[in-house]
Amino acid sequence: MEHSIMVVAALIGAGLAIGLAAVGASIGNGLVTSKFIEGLTRQPEAKNVLFINTLISVGLIEAVPIIAAVIAIVLLYANPLIK
């Protein structure tokens, strides 16, 4: 009985980790992209600097779901509480 409860808890935790990370990353990407477009319309001559900063920011934001996926995999397959 305890084993099945731990497996269900690990599955729910992994799903929440990946789901919330994906939602947070999509919100962050949307905000960064909207600010990029806003900055581009205000100062078109700063396009290259804004574009580079946007790419760096989006890359860092996209690292969050990847880390969450690794944590979810650890929860599912390398959980020391499930024997």
Side-chain angles (χ1 to χ4, degrees):
M1 180 72 175
E2 284 183 25
H3 182 0
S4 61
I5 292 174
M6 290 300 295
V7 170
V8 169
L11 288 171
I12 291 173
L16 283 174
I18 291 177
L20 292 176
V23 168
S26 61
I27 291 171
N29 284 338
L31 290 174
V32 168
T33 306
S34 70
K35 294 298 180 180
F36 167 69
I37 293 172
E38 182 180 326
L40 193 61
T41 56
R42 288 176 187 249
Q43 291 183 332
E45 66 274 1
K47 178 178 89 170
N48 292 333
V49 174
L50 289 173
F51 185 67
I52 290 170
N53 289 339
T54 301
L55 287 181
I56 291 170
S57 299
V58 167
L60 290 173
I61 290 169
E62 285 298 319
V64 173
I66 295 170
I67 293 169
V70 170
I71 290 172
I73 290 170
V74 168
L75 276 175
L76 292 177
Y77 296 111
N79 194 340
L81 299 175
I82 300 174
K83 296 179 178 155

